[in-house]
Amino acid sequence: MYRSREHKMIAGVCGGIAERFGMAPTMVRLLFLLSCILPGPQFILYLIMWVAVPKAPARQYH
């Protein structure tokens, strides 16, 4: 899994999750925001993924 270069708003974490599971990035972002209403470490997990998950490799065109 990679952080998205194309579907990124802040760090590309939600965009990367969307690309990995074939979902719309907007839907993943909305689900993340809704999950922040519930108690839990969602925001901390986002920060950890921001640091731990590498960016997607740059596409090279010939």
Side-chain angles (χ1 to χ4, degrees), residues 15 17-28 31:
I17 292 170
E19 289 174 2
R20 172 69 174 93
F21 294 105
M23 298 173 68
T26 305
M27 180 61 70
V28 175
L31 290 172

Side-chain angles (χ1 to χ4, degrees), residues 13-62:
V13 173
C14 290
I17 292 170
E19 289 174 2
R20 172 69 174 93
F21 294 105
M23 298 173 68
T26 305
M27 180 61 70
V28 175
R29 289 182 193 110
L30 181 64
L31 290 172
F32 173 73
L33 288 175
L34 290 173
S35 75
C36 287
I37 296 170
L38 302 172
Q42 297 86 332
F43 188 71
I44 294 170
L45 289 175
Y46 185 92
L47 293 175
I48 290 170
M49 290 181 73
W50 187 346
V51 173
V53 176
K55 276 188 181 177
R59 292 186 181 182
Q60 296 179 353
Y61 297 99
H62 298 321

